[in-house]
Coordinates of all heavy atoms in Angstrom, one line a residue:
M1 N 46.1 65.5 -0.8 CA 46.7 65.5 -2.2 C 45.6 65.5 -3.3 O 44.7 64.7 -3.1 CB 47.7 64.4 -2.3 CG 49.1 64.9 -2.8 SD 50.1 63.6 -3.5 CE 50.0 62.3 -2.3
F2 N 45.7 66.2 -4.3 CA 44.9 66.2 -5.5 C 43.4 66.7 -5.2 O 42.6 66.6 -6.1 CB 44.8 64.9 -6.1 CG 46.1 64.2 -6.4 CD1 46.2 62.8 -6.1 CD2 47.1 64.9 -7.0 CE1 47.4 62.2 -6.4 CE2 48.3 64.2 -7.3 CZ 48.5 62.9 -7.0
K3 N 43.1 67.2 -4.0 CA 41.7 67.4 -3.6 C 41.1 68.4 -4.6 O 40.0 68.2 -5.1 CB 41.6 67.8 -2.2 CG 40.2 67.8 -1.7 CD 40.1 67.9 -0.2 CE 38.7 67.7 0.4 NZ 37.7 68.5 -0.2
K4 N 41.8 69.5 -4.8 CA 41.3 70.6 -5.6 C 41.1 70.1 -7.0 O 40.0 70.4 -7.6 CB 42.2 71.8 -5.5 CG 41.7 73.1 -6.0 CD 42.6 74.3 -5.6 CE 42.8 75.2 -6.8 NZ 44.0 75.0 -7.6
E5 N 42.1 69.5 -7.6 CA 42.0 69.0 -9.0 C 40.9 68.0 -9.1 O 40.2 68.0 -10.2 CB 43.4 68.4 -9.4 CG 44.5 69.4 -9.5 CD 45.1 69.8 -8.1 OE1 44.8 69.1 -7.1 OE2 46.0 70.7 -8.1
R6 N 40.8 67.1 -8.1 CA 39.7 66.0 -8.3 C 38.3 66.6 -8.1 O 37.4 66.1 -8.8 CB 40.0 64.9 -7.4 CG 41.2 64.1 -7.9 CD 41.5 62.9 -7.1 NE 42.6 62.1 -7.7 CZ 43.3 61.2 -7.1 NH1 43.0 60.9 -5.9 NH2 44.2 60.5 -7.8
T7 N 38.2 67.6 -7.3 CA 36.9 68.3 -7.3 C 36.6 69.0 -8.6 O 35.4 68.9 -9.1 CB 37.0 69.4 -6.1 OG1 37.3 68.8 -4.9 CG2 35.7 70.2 -6.0
E8 N 37.6 69.6 -9.2 CA 37.4 70.2 -10.6 C 37.1 69.1 -11.6 O 36.1 69.3 -12.4 CB 38.8 70.9 -10.9 CG 38.9 71.3 -12.4 CD 38.1 72.6 -12.7 OE1 37.2 73.0 -11.9 OE2 38.4 73.2 -13.8
I9 N 37.8 67.9 -11.5 CA 37.5 66.8 -12.5 C 36.0 66.3 -12.3 O 35.3 66.1 -13.2 CB 38.5 65.7 -12.3 CG1 39.8 66.2 -13.0 CG2 38.0 64.4 -13.0 CD1 41.0 65.2 -12.8
D10 N 35.6 66.2 -11.0 CA 34.2 65.7 -10.7 C 33.2 66.7 -11.3 O 32.2 66.2 -11.9 CB 34.0 65.6 -9.2 CG 34.7 64.3 -8.7 OD1 35.2 63.5 -9.5 OD2 34.9 64.2 -7.4
A11 N 33.4 68.0 -11.2 CA 32.5 69.0 -11.7 C 32.5 68.9 -13.3 O 31.4 69.0 -13.9 CB 32.9 70.4 -11.3
I12 N 33.6 68.7 -13.9 CA 33.7 68.6 -15.3 C 33.0 67.4 -15.8 O 32.3 67.4 -16.8 CB 35.2 68.7 -15.8 CG1 35.8 70.1 -15.5 CG2 35.3 68.3 -17.3 CD1 37.3 70.1 -15.6
D13 N 33.2 66.3 -15.1 CA 32.6 65.0 -15.5 C 31.1 65.1 -15.5 O 30.4 64.5 -16.3 CB 33.1 63.8 -14.6 CG 34.5 63.4 -14.8 OD1 35.1 63.9 -15.8 OD2 35.1 62.7 -14.0
Q14 N 30.6 65.8 -14.5 CA 29.1 66.0 -14.4 C 28.6 66.7 -15.7 O 27.6 66.3 -16.3 CB 28.8 66.9 -13.2 CG 27.4 66.7 -12.7 CD 27.2 67.5 -11.4 OE1 28.2 67.7 -10.6 NE2 26.0 67.9 -11.1
E15 N 29.4 67.7 -16.1 CA 29.0 68.4 -17.3 C 29.1 67.6 -18.6 O 28.3 67.6 -19.5 CB 29.8 69.7 -17.5 CG 29.5 70.8 -16.6 CD 30.3 72.1 -16.8 OE1 30.4 72.5 -18.0 OE2 30.9 72.5 -15.9
L16 N 30.2 66.8 -18.6 CA 30.5 65.9 -19.7 C 29.4 64.9 -19.9 O 29.0 64.6 -21.0 CB 31.8 65.2 -19.6 CG 33.1 66.0 -19.9 CD1 34.3 65.2 -19.6 CD2 33.1 66.4 -21.4
V17 N 28.9 64.3 -18.8 CA 27.8 63.3 -18.9 C 26.6 64.0 -19.5 O 25.9 63.4 -20.4 CB 27.5 62.7 -17.5 CG1 26.3 61.8 -17.6 CG2 28.7 61.8 -17.1
K18 N 26.3 65.2 -19.0 CA 25.1 65.9 -19.6 C 25.2 66.1 -21.1 O 24.3 65.8 -21.9 CB 24.9 67.2 -18.9 CG 24.2 67.2 -17.6 CD 23.5 68.5 -17.3 CE 23.1 68.6 -15.9 NZ 23.8 69.5 -15.1
L19 N 26.4 66.5 -21.5 CA 26.7 66.8 -22.9 C 26.7 65.5 -23.7 O 26.2 65.4 -24.8 CB 28.0 67.5 -23.1 CG 28.1 69.0 -22.6 CD1 29.5 69.5 -22.7 CD2 27.1 69.8 -23.5
F20 N 27.2 64.4 -23.1 CA 27.2 63.1 -23.8 C 25.8 62.6 -24.0 O 25.5 62.1 -25.1 CB 28.0 62.1 -23.0 CG 28.1 60.8 -23.6 CD1 28.9 60.5 -24.7 CD2 27.4 59.7 -23.1 CE1 29.0 59.3 -25.3 CE2 27.4 58.4 -23.7 CZ 28.2 58.2 -24.8
E21 N 25.0 62.8 -23.0 CA 23.6 62.4 -23.2 C 22.9 63.2 -24.3 O 22.1 62.6 -25.0 CB 22.8 62.6 -21.8 CG 23.2 61.5 -20.8 CD 22.2 61.3 -19.7 OE1 21.1 60.9 -20.0 OE2 22.5 61.7 -18.6
R22 N 23.2 64.5 -24.3 CA 22.6 65.3 -25.4 C 23.0 64.8 -26.8 O 22.2 64.7 -27.7 CB 23.0 66.8 -25.3 CG 22.0 67.7 -24.7 CD 22.5 69.1 -24.6 NE 22.6 69.8 -25.9 CZ 23.2 70.9 -26.1 NH1 23.8 71.5 -25.0 NH2 23.3 71.5 -27.2
R23 N 24.3 64.5 -26.9 CA 24.9 64.0 -28.2 C 24.2 62.6 -28.5 O 23.8 62.4 -29.6 CB 26.4 63.8 -28.0 CG 27.1 63.6 -29.4 CD 28.6 63.5 -29.2 NE 29.3 63.7 -30.4 CZ 29.4 62.8 -31.4 NH1 28.8 61.7 -31.3 NH2 30.1 63.1 -32.5
M24 N 24.0 61.8 -27.5 CA 23.4 60.5 -27.7 C 21.9 60.6 -28.1 O 21.4 59.8 -28.9 CB 23.6 59.6 -26.4 CG 25.0 59.1 -26.2 SD 25.7 58.2 -27.6 CE 24.9 56.6 -27.3
D25 N 21.3 61.6 -27.6 CA 19.9 61.8 -28.0 C 19.8 62.1 -29.5 O 19.0 61.6 -30.3 CB 19.3 63.1 -27.3 CG 18.9 62.8 -25.8 OD1 18.9 61.6 -25.4 OD2 18.7 63.7 -25.1
A26 N 20.8 62.9 -30.0 CA 20.9 63.2 -31.5 C 21.2 61.9 -32.2 O 20.7 61.6 -33.3 CB 21.9 64.3 -31.7
V27 N 22.2 61.2 -31.7 CA 22.6 59.9 -32.3 C 21.4 58.9 -32.4 O 21.3 58.2 -33.4 CB 23.8 59.3 -31.5 CG1 24.0 57.8 -31.9 CG2 25.1 60.1 -31.8
T28 N 20.6 58.8 -31.4 CA 19.5 57.9 -31.3 C 18.5 58.3 -32.5 O 18.0 57.4 -33.1 CB 18.8 58.0 -30.0 OG1 19.7 57.6 -28.9 CG2 17.6 57.1 -29.9
E29 N 18.3 59.6 -32.7 CA 17.4 60.0 -33.7 C 18.0 59.7 -35.1 O 17.3 59.2 -36.0 CB 17.1 61.5 -33.6 CG 16.2 62.1 -34.6 CD 14.8 61.6 -34.6 OE1 14.5 60.7 -33.8 OE2 14.1 61.9 -35.5
I30 N 19.3 59.9 -35.3 CA 20.0 59.6 -36.5 C 19.8 58.1 -36.8 O 19.5 57.6 -37.9 CB 21.4 60.0 -36.5 CG1 21.5 61.5 -36.6 CG2 22.2 59.4 -37.7 CD1 23.0 62.1 -36.6
A31 N 20.0 57.3 -35.8 CA 19.9 55.8 -35.9 C 18.5 55.4 -36.4 O 18.4 54.5 -37.3 CB 20.2 55.1 -34.6
R32 N 17.5 56.1 -35.8 CA 16.1 55.8 -36.2 C 15.9 56.1 -37.7 O 15.4 55.3 -38.4 CB 15.2 56.6 -35.3 CG 13.7 56.2 -35.4 CD 12.8 57.2 -34.7 NE 12.8 58.5 -35.3 CZ 12.3 58.8 -36.5 NH1 11.7 57.9 -37.2 NH2 12.4 60.1 -37.0
I33 N 16.4 57.3 -38.1 CA 16.2 57.7 -39.5 C 17.0 56.7 -40.5 O 16.5 56.4 -41.5 CB 16.6 59.2 -39.7 CG1 15.7 60.0 -38.9 CG2 16.6 59.6 -41.2 CD1 16.2 61.5 -38.7
K34 N 18.2 56.4 -40.0 CA 19.0 55.5 -40.9 C 18.3 54.1 -41.1 O 18.3 53.5 -42.1 CB 20.4 55.2 -40.3 CG 21.4 56.4 -40.5 CD 22.7 56.2 -39.9 CE 23.7 57.3 -40.2 NZ 25.0 57.2 -39.6
K35 N 17.7 53.7 -40.0 CA 17.0 52.4 -40.1 C 15.8 52.5 -41.0 O 15.6 51.7 -41.9 CB 16.5 51.9 -38.7 CG 15.9 50.6 -38.7 CD 15.6 50.0 -37.4 CE 15.1 48.6 -37.5 NZ 14.9 47.9 -36.2
E36 N 15.0 53.6 -40.9 CA 13.9 53.9 -41.7 C 14.2 53.9 -43.2 O 13.5 53.4 -44.0 CB 13.3 55.2 -41.3 CG 11.9 55.5 -41.8 CD 11.4 56.9 -41.2 OE1 10.8 56.9 -40.2 OE2 11.7 57.9 -41.9
H37 N 15.4 54.5 -43.5 CA 15.8 54.7 -44.9 C 16.8 53.6 -45.3 O 17.4 53.7 -46.4 CB 16.3 56.1 -45.1 CG 15.3 57.1 -44.9 ND1 14.4 57.5 -45.9 CD2 14.9 57.9 -43.9 CE1 13.5 58.4 -45.4 NE2 13.9 58.7 -44.2
Q38 N 17.0 52.6 -44.5 CA 18.0 51.6 -44.7 C 19.4 52.1 -45.2 O 20.0 51.7 -46.1 CB 17.5 50.6 -45.8 CG 16.2 49.9 -45.3 CD 15.6 48.9 -46.3 OE1 16.0 49.0 -47.5 NE2 14.9 48.0 -45.9
L39 N 19.8 53.1 -44.4 CA 21.2 53.7 -44.6 C 22.2 53.0 -43.7 O 21.9 52.6 -42.6 CB 21.1 55.2 -44.4 CG 20.2 56.0 -45.3 CD1 20.0 57.4 -44.7 CD2 20.7 56.1 -46.7
P40 N 23.5 53.0 -44.2 CA 24.5 52.4 -43.4 C 24.8 53.2 -42.1 O 24.6 54.5 -42.1 CB 25.7 52.3 -44.3 CG 25.5 53.3 -45.3 CD 24.0 53.5 -45.5
I41 N 25.2 52.6 -41.0 CA 25.5 53.3 -39.8 C 26.8 54.1 -40.0 O 26.8 55.3 -39.7 CB 25.8 52.3 -38.7 CG1 24.6 51.4 -38.4 CG2 26.4 53.0 -37.4 CD1 23.5 52.0 -37.7
L42 N 27.8 53.6 -40.7 CA 29.1 54.3 -40.9 C 28.9 55.3 -42.0 O 28.4 55.1 -43.1 CB 30.2 53.3 -41.3 CG 31.5 53.9 -41.7 CD1 32.2 54.6 -40.6 CD2 32.4 52.9 -42.4
D43 N 29.3 56.6 -41.6 CA 29.4 57.6 -42.6 C 30.9 58.2 -42.5 O 31.1 59.1 -41.7 CB 28.4 58.7 -42.4 CG 28.4 59.8 -43.4 OD1 29.4 60.0 -44.1 OD2 27.3 60.4 -43.6
Q44 N 31.8 57.6 -43.2 CA 33.2 57.9 -43.1 C 33.5 59.4 -43.4 O 34.3 60.0 -42.7 CB 34.1 57.0 -43.9 CG 35.5 57.1 -43.6 CD 35.9 56.8 -42.2 OE1 35.5 55.7 -41.7 NE2 36.5 57.7 -41.4
S45 N 32.8 60.0 -44.4 CA 33.1 61.4 -44.7 C 32.7 62.3 -43.6 O 33.3 63.3 -43.3 CB 32.5 61.8 -46.1 OG 31.1 61.9 -45.9
R46 N 31.5 62.0 -43.0 CA 31.1 62.8 -41.8 C 32.1 62.6 -40.6 O 32.5 63.6 -40.0 CB 29.7 62.3 -41.4 CG 29.2 62.9 -40.1 CD 29.0 64.4 -40.1 NE 28.6 64.8 -38.7 CZ 28.6 66.1 -38.4 NH1 29.0 67.0 -39.2 NH2 28.2 66.4 -37.1
E47 N 32.6 61.4 -40.4 CA 33.6 61.2 -39.3 C 34.8 62.0 -39.6 O 35.4 62.7 -38.7 CB 33.9 59.7 -39.1 CG 32.7 59.0 -38.6 CD 33.0 57.6 -38.0 OE1 34.2 57.3 -37.8 OE2 32.1 56.8 -37.8
D48 N 35.3 62.0 -40.8 CA 36.5 62.8 -41.2 C 36.3 64.3 -40.9 O 37.2 65.0 -40.4 CB 36.9 62.6 -42.7 CG 37.3 61.1 -42.9 OD1 37.6 60.4 -42.0 OD2 37.4 60.8 -44.1
K49 N 35.1 64.8 -41.2 CA 34.8 66.2 -41.0 C 34.7 66.5 -39.5 O 35.2 67.5 -39.1 CB 33.4 66.6 -41.6 CG 33.5 66.9 -43.1 CD 32.2 67.4 -43.6 CE 32.1 67.1 -45.1 NZ 30.9 66.6 -45.6
V50 N 34.1 65.6 -38.7 CA 34.1 65.8 -37.3 C 35.5 65.9 -36.7 O 35.8 66.8 -35.9 CB 33.3 64.6 -36.6 CG1 33.4 64.7 -35.0 CG2 31.8 64.7 -37.0
L51 N 36.3 65.0 -37.1 CA 37.7 64.9 -36.6 C 38.5 66.2 -37.0 O 39.2 66.7 -36.1 CB 38.4 63.7 -37.1 CG 37.8 62.3 -36.5 CD1 38.5 61.1 -37.2 CD2 37.9 62.2 -35.0
D52 N 38.3 66.6 -38.2 CA 39.0 67.8 -38.6 C 38.5 69.0 -37.8 O 39.3 69.9 -37.4 CB 38.5 68.1 -40.1 CG 39.6 67.9 -41.1 OD1 40.5 67.1 -40.7 OD2 39.6 68.4 -42.2
K53 N 37.2 69.1 -37.6 CA 36.6 70.2 -36.9 C 37.1 70.3 -35.5 O 37.5 71.3 -35.0 CB 35.1 70.1 -37.0 CG 34.4 71.2 -36.2 CD 32.9 71.4 -36.6 CE 32.7 72.5 -37.5 NZ 31.4 72.7 -38.0
V54 N 37.0 69.1 -34.8 CA 37.4 69.2 -33.3 C 38.9 69.4 -33.1 O 39.3 70.1 -32.2 CB 36.9 67.9 -32.6 CG1 35.4 67.9 -32.5 CG2 37.5 66.6 -33.1
R55 N 39.7 69.0 -34.1 CA 41.1 69.3 -34.0 C 41.3 70.8 -34.1 O 42.0 71.4 -33.3 CB 41.9 68.7 -35.1 CG 42.2 67.2 -34.9 CD 43.2 66.7 -36.0 NE 44.5 67.1 -35.7 CZ 45.4 66.3 -35.1 NH1 45.2 65.1 -34.8 NH2 46.6 66.8 -34.9
G56 N 40.5 71.4 -35.0 CA 40.6 72.9 -35.2 C 40.1 73.7 -34.0 O 40.6 74.8 -33.8
L57 N 39.1 73.1 -33.3 CA 38.6 73.8 -32.2 C 39.5 73.8 -30.9 O 39.3 74.5 -30.0 CB 37.2 73.1 -31.8 CG 36.0 73.4 -32.7 CD1 34.9 72.5 -32.4 CD2 35.6 74.9 -32.7
T58 N 40.4 72.9 -31.0 CA 41.3 72.7 -29.8 C 42.3 73.8 -29.6 O 43.1 74.1 -30.5 CB 42.1 71.3 -29.9 OG1 41.1 70.3 -30.2 CG2 42.8 71.0 -28.6
E59 N 42.1 74.6 -28.5 CA 42.9 75.8 -28.3 C 44.4 75.4 -28.0 O 45.3 76.0 -28.4 CB 42.3 76.7 -27.3 CG 41.1 77.4 -27.8 CD 40.3 78.2 -26.8 OE1 40.9 78.5 -25.8 OE2 39.1 78.5 -27.1
N60 N 44.5 74.5 -27.1 CA 45.9 74.0 -26.7 C 46.3 72.9 -27.6 O 45.9 71.8 -27.5 CB 45.8 73.5 -25.2 CG 47.2 73.2 -24.7 OD1 48.1 72.9 -25.5 ND2 47.4 73.2 -23.4
K61 N 47.2 73.3 -28.5 CA 47.7 72.4 -29.6 C 48.3 71.1 -29.0 O 48.3 70.1 -29.7 CB 48.6 73.1 -30.6 CG 47.8 74.2 -31.4 CD 46.6 73.6 -32.1 CE 45.6 74.7 -32.5 NZ 44.2 74.2 -32.8
A62 N 48.8 71.1 -27.8 CA 49.4 69.9 -27.2 C 48.3 68.9 -26.9 O 48.6 67.7 -26.8 CB 50.0 70.3 -25.8
Y63 N 47.0 69.3 -27.0 CA 45.9 68.3 -26.7 C 45.3 67.8 -28.0 O 44.3 67.0 -28.0 CB 44.8 69.0 -25.9 CG 45.2 69.5 -24.5 CD1 44.6 70.6 -23.9 CD2 46.3 68.9 -23.8 CE1 44.9 71.1 -22.7 CE2 46.7 69.4 -22.6 CZ 46.0 70.5 -22.0 OH 46.3 71.0 -20.8
E64 N 45.7 68.4 -29.2 CA 45.0 68.1 -30.4 C 44.9 66.6 -30.7 O 43.8 66.1 -31.1 CB 45.8 68.8 -31.6 CG 44.8 69.4 -32.6 CD 45.5 70.2 -33.6 OE1 46.3 69.6 -34.4 OE2 45.4 71.4 -33.7
D65 N 46.0 65.8 -30.6 CA 45.9 64.4 -30.9 C 45.0 63.7 -29.9 O 44.3 62.8 -30.3 CB 47.4 63.8 -30.8 CG 48.2 64.2 -32.0 OD1 47.7 64.8 -32.9 OD2 49.5 64.0 -31.9
S66 N 45.0 64.1 -28.7 CA 44.2 63.5 -27.6 C 42.7 63.8 -27.9 O 41.9 62.9 -27.7 CB 44.5 64.0 -26.2 OG 45.9 63.7 -26.0
V67 N 42.4 65.0 -28.4 CA 41.0 65.3 -28.8 C 40.6 64.4 -29.9 O 39.5 63.9 -29.9 CB 40.9 66.8 -29.1 CG1 39.6 67.1 -29.8 CG2 41.1 67.7 -27.8
E68 N 41.5 64.3 -30.9 CA 41.1 63.4 -32.0 C 40.9 61.9 -31.5 O 39.9 61.3 -31.9 CB 42.2 63.4 -33.1 CG 41.9 62.4 -34.2 CD 42.8 62.5 -35.4 OE1 43.6 63.4 -35.6 OE2 42.8 61.5 -36.2
D69 N 41.7 61.5 -30.6 CA 41.6 60.1 -30.1 C 40.2 60.0 -29.3 O 39.5 59.0 -29.5 CB 42.7 59.8 -29.0 CG 44.0 59.5 -29.7 OD1 44.0 59.3 -30.9 OD2 45.0 59.5 -29.0
L70 N 39.9 61.1 -28.6 CA 38.6 61.1 -27.8 C 37.5 60.9 -28.8 O 36.5 60.1 -28.6 CB 38.5 62.4 -27.0 CG 37.2 62.6 -26.3 CD1 36.9 61.6 -25.3 CD2 37.1 64.0 -25.7
F71 N 37.5 61.7 -29.9 CA 36.3 61.7 -30.8 C 36.3 60.4 -31.6 O 35.2 59.9 -32.0 CB 36.3 63.0 -31.6 CG 35.6 64.1 -30.8 CD1 36.3 64.8 -29.9 CD2 34.2 64.3 -31.0 CE1 35.7 65.8 -29.1 CE2 33.6 65.3 -30.2 CZ 34.3 66.0 -29.3
R72 N 37.5 59.8 -31.9 CA 37.5 58.5 -32.6 C 36.8 57.5 -31.7 O 36.0 56.7 -32.1 CB 38.9 58.1 -32.9 CG 39.5 58.7 -34.1 CD 40.8 58.0 -34.5 NE 41.5 58.8 -35.5 CZ 41.2 58.7 -36.8 NH1 40.3 57.9 -37.2 NH2 41.9 59.5 -37.7
S73 N 37.1 57.5 -30.4 CA 36.5 56.6 -29.4 C 35.0 56.9 -29.3 O 34.2 55.9 -29.3 CB 37.2 56.8 -28.0 OG 38.5 56.5 -28.1
L74 N 34.7 58.1 -29.2 CA 33.3 58.5 -29.1 C 32.5 57.9 -30.3 O 31.4 57.3 -30.1 CB 33.1 60.0 -29.2 CG 32.8 60.8 -27.9 CD1 32.6 62.3 -28.3 CD2 31.5 60.3 -27.3
M75 N 33.0 58.0 -31.5 CA 32.3 57.6 -32.7 C 32.3 56.0 -32.8 O 31.4 55.5 -33.3 CB 32.8 58.3 -33.9 CG 32.4 59.7 -33.9 SD 32.7 60.6 -35.4 CE 34.4 60.9 -35.4
T76 N 33.3 55.4 -32.2 CA 33.2 53.9 -32.1 C 32.1 53.5 -31.2 O 31.3 52.6 -31.4 CB 34.6 53.4 -31.5 OG1 35.6 53.7 -32.4 CG2 34.5 51.9 -31.3
I77 N 31.9 54.3 -30.1 CA 30.9 54.0 -29.1 C 29.5 54.3 -29.8 O 28.6 53.5 -29.6 CB 31.1 54.9 -27.8 CG1 32.3 54.3 -27.0 CG2 29.8 54.9 -27.0 CD1 32.8 55.3 -26.0
T78 N 29.4 55.4 -30.5 CA 28.1 55.7 -31.1 C 27.7 54.7 -32.2 O 26.5 54.3 -32.3 CB 28.0 57.2 -31.6 OG1 29.1 57.4 -32.5 CG2 28.1 58.2 -30.5
K79 N 28.7 54.3 -32.9 CA 28.4 53.3 -34.0 C 27.9 52.0 -33.3 O 27.0 51.3 -33.8 CB 29.6 53.0 -34.9 CG 29.7 54.1 -35.9 CD 31.0 53.8 -36.8 CE 32.2 54.2 -36.0 NZ 33.5 54.1 -36.8
A80 N 28.5 51.5 -32.3 CA 28.1 50.3 -31.6 C 26.7 50.5 -31.0 O 25.8 49.6 -31.1 CB 29.1 50.0 -30.4
F81 N 26.4 51.7 -30.5 CA 25.1 52.0 -30.0 C 24.0 52.0 -31.1 O 23.0 51.4 -31.0 CB 25.1 53.4 -29.3 CG 23.7 53.7 -28.7 CD1 23.3 53.3 -27.5 CD2 22.9 54.5 -29.4 CE1 22.1 53.6 -26.9 CE2 21.6 54.9 -28.9 CZ 21.2 54.4 -27.7
E82 N 24.4 52.6 -32.2 CA 23.4 52.7 -33.3 C 23.2 51.3 -33.9 O 22.0 50.9 -34.2 CB 24.0 53.5 -34.5 CG 23.9 55.0 -34.2 CD 24.3 55.9 -35.4 OE1 23.9 55.6 -36.5 OE2 25.0 56.9 -35.2
T83 N 24.2 50.4 -33.9 CA 24.1 49.0 -34.4 C 23.1 48.3 -33.5 O 22.2 47.6 -33.9 CB 25.4 48.3 -34.5 OG1 26.3 49.1 -35.3 CG2 25.3 46.9 -35.0
K84 N 23.3 48.4 -32.2 CA 22.5 47.7 -31.2 C 21.0 48.2 -31.3 O 20.1 47.4 -31.3 CB 23.0 48.0 -29.8 CG 23.1 46.8 -28.9 CD 23.9 47.2 -27.7 CE 23.5 46.3 -26.5 NZ 24.1 46.8 -25.3
Q85 N 20.9 49.5 -31.4 CA 19.6 50.2 -31.5 C 18.8 49.6 -32.7 O 17.6 49.5 -32.6 CB 19.8 51.7 -31.6 CG 18.6 52.6 -31.4 CD 18.4 52.7 -29.9 OE1 19.1 52.2 -29.1 NE2 17.4 53.5 -29.6
N86 N 19.5 49.4 -33.8 CA 18.8 49.0 -35.0 C 18.8 47.5 -35.3 O 18.3 47.1 -36.4 CB 19.5 49.8 -36.2 CG 19.2 51.2 -36.2 OD1 18.5 51.7 -35.4 ND2 19.8 52.0 -37.1
E87 N 19.2 46.7 -34.3 CA 19.1 45.3 -34.5 C 17.7 44.8 -34.5 O 16.8 45.4 -33.8 CB 19.8 44.6 -33.3 CG 21.3 44.3 -33.5 CD 22.0 43.8 -32.2 OE1 21.3 43.6 -31.2 OE2 23.2 43.7 -32.2
G88 N 17.5 43.8 -35.3 CA 16.1 43.1 -35.2 C 15.0 43.8 -36.0 O 15.2 44.8 -36.6
Ligands
PRE1 O1 26.3 61.7 -38.2 C1 26.0 60.4 -38.3 O2 25.6 59.9 -39.4 C2 26.1 59.6 -37.1 O3 25.6 58.5 -37.1 C3 26.8 60.2 -35.9 C4 28.3 59.8 -35.9 C5 28.9 60.5 -34.7 O4 28.9 59.9 -33.6 O5 29.3 61.7 -34.8 C6 28.4 58.3 -35.8 C7 28.6 57.5 -36.8 C8 28.9 57.9 -38.2 O6 29.9 57.2 -38.8 C9 29.1 59.4 -38.2 C10 28.9 60.2 -37.2

C-alpha cells in the first residue's frame, strides 16, 4: 500500500531539501547584511508580497491556502534562524 506515492514523496522531499538549502543560503546572506546595517529581521511588507506572489503561482486553487500556510511557516523558521544567526 502507498508504495508508489511514497516513492514519489521521497523524491520530491529530496528536491525540496535542496531548494530549502538554497533559500537558506540567501536568507543567511540577508541576515548578515541586516546585522551589518542594524536593520530589523522582520520585513512585513516583503512577507506580504511573498505570500501574494506564491498564492498567485499556485495552479491548483484548492492548494492556495495551504501554500500560504507553508510560506508563513517558512518565514517563521527563517526569522528564527536569522535571529539566532545575529545573536551576540
Ligand atoms: O527578505 C528578507 O528580508 C528576509 O529576511 C527573508 C524573509 C523570507 O524568509 O522570505 C524572512 C524574513 C522577513 O520578514 C522577510 C522575508
Side-chain angles (χ1 to χ4, degrees):
M1 233 198 310
F2 308 135
K3 192 163 187 310
K4 198 170 132 261
E5 291 78 8
R6 285 184 175 164
T7 300
E8 169 77 344
I9 286 175
D10 286 346
I12 292 165
D13 288 350
Q14 203 176 332
E15 287 182 51
L16 279 175
V17 169
K18 276 204 194 115
L19 290 172
F20 182 74
E21 287 200 65
R22 259 180 71 192
R23 196 180 197 283
M24 289 302 281
D25 287 346
V27 163
T28 299
E29 181 60 6
I30 288 177
R32 191 190 64 71
I33 295 164
K34 282 182 176 173
K35 186 172 186 174
E36 192 177 272
H37 296 276
Q38 297 184 338
L39 296 168
I41 301 289
L42 172 67
D43 185 336
Q44 191 59 57
S45 74
R46 170 64 182 165
E47 292 198 13
D48 292 345
K49 277 185 202 136
V50 169
L51 295 175
D52 254 23
K53 178 163 256 179
V54 295
R55 284 190 74 100
L57 287 171
T58 309
E59 286 175 19
N60 185 336
K61 294 306 161 194
Y63 302 152
E64 222 177 65
D65 289 348
S66 302
V67 168
E68 179 173 339
D69 288 346
L70 172 65
F71 278 81
R72 279 189 192 280
S73 299
L74 254 183
M75 290 191 284
T76 298
I77 290 165
T78 55
K79 278 178 288 188
F81 180 83
E82 288 188 40
T83 301
K84 225 168 152 187
Q85 194 80 355
N86 287 358
E87 268 170 7

